[in-house]
Structure formats: structure tokens, C-alpha cells
Amino acid sequence: MSSKIDDEMVAGALEYWRGVNLSALVQTLDAAGAELVENQKTSLQERRKLAEKTKAFRSVADEHKAAEFRPLLRAYQNEIDALTKRMKHAENSFLRVFQALGSAPDPAVFLAGLVDARRMQAEAEAR
């Protein structure tokens, strides 16, 4: 791959990256990341509570299990619903990044061209 770049390529890449608005994207991702961390903590706490409820259910006498089953089932369903909500949030965060960066031009090509141009300029000035 040639590291030569022309003005049209640079202008196109610049326009694309302006459209990405990387600083706003980073802020959005920062907020999403903080929410993901909080969701992880919440998920761990809820899983522990669910494990405690399951353990308590196992210790209930058989004749009382029917009455205790419905609340336990509801707790599992609530956890499944919460996991589904967190999964959708994580997937949407990923898709936002992918949509913003999916067709972005590779900056390595431009950076390599700029390095070559600066090197050639420095060599020309040294003569």
C-alpha cells in the first residue's frame, strides 16, 4: 500500500471525521460505560439475592413449596427482564460506535503519508 496521499483523500477523511464528531461520541460512550459498570454491579447484587432466595426455597418444607414457588419464579423472571434490558443497552452502545466508525477511512494511511511528507520536507530543507 502506497503511503502517498492526495488533497482529495485528506479532505474526504477530514469531512468524514468531522461528521463522526469524535468528542461527542466519546462523551456518549463514557456515559454508556459508566452505566454499564453500574449495571454490572446491580446484576451481581441481584444474582446474589436470587441465589439466596433459591437457597431459602430449597429449605422450605415440601408442603409449603407451592406457595413459595410463585414469588421465586417472579424473581427469576424479573432478573431475566433486567438482563435483557442491559443486553439491549450494551448492544445499542456497540451499534452506535459501529455505525459511526464502520466506514471510516483508515487513519494509518493518512498518518503514514504525513510522516513521509514531513520527512521529505525535512530532507529538502536540509539541502
Side-chain angles (χ1 to χ4, degrees):
M1 174 182 280
S2 172
S3 62
K4 281 203 157 201
I5 55 175
D6 61 22
D7 291 342
E8 189 176 312
M9 289 173 63
V10 172
L14 178 60
E15 189 62 31
Y16 184 89
W17 282 101
R18 280 186 178 150
V20 168
N21 194 1
L22 192 58
S23 60
L25 181 62
V26 168
Q27 287 178 344
T28 301
L29 292 175
D30 189 41
E35 190 173 340
L36 288 173
V37 168
E38 189 60 36
N39 287 342
Q40 287 175 334
K41 291 176 185 177
T42 301
S43 180
L44 181 60
Q45 292 169 349
E46 293 302 316
R47 281 193 346 239
R48 286 180 180 155
K49 288 178 187 177
L50 200 52
E52 290 171 11
K53 288 180 182 182
T54 302
K55 187 176 180 180
F57 177 77
R58 287 183 185 145
S59 66
V60 170
D62 287 344
E63 60 270 8
H64 299 291
K65 282 194 178 188
E68 296 296 323
F69 182 71
R70 179 164 277 176
L72 181 62
L73 181 60
R74 189 172 294 123
Y76 272 93
Q77 185 60 50
N78 288 340
E79 183 60 18
I80 290 168
D81 292 345
L83 287 171
T84 301
K85 182 180 175 184
R86 290 191 291 269
M87 176 204 58
K88 285 180 181 180
H89 176 71
E91 287 175 348
N92 287 336
S93 295
F94 170 78
L95 289 174
R96 276 194 301 269
V97 172
F98 183 75
Q99 288 172 346
L101 302 179
S103 59
D106 184 0
V109 174
F110 302 105
L111 294 174
L114 292 173
V115 166
D116 287 346
R118 289 181 65 94
R119 182 179 38 80
M120 291 187 328
Q121 182 182 12
E123 288 174 359
E125 289 174 357
R127 292 183 192 157

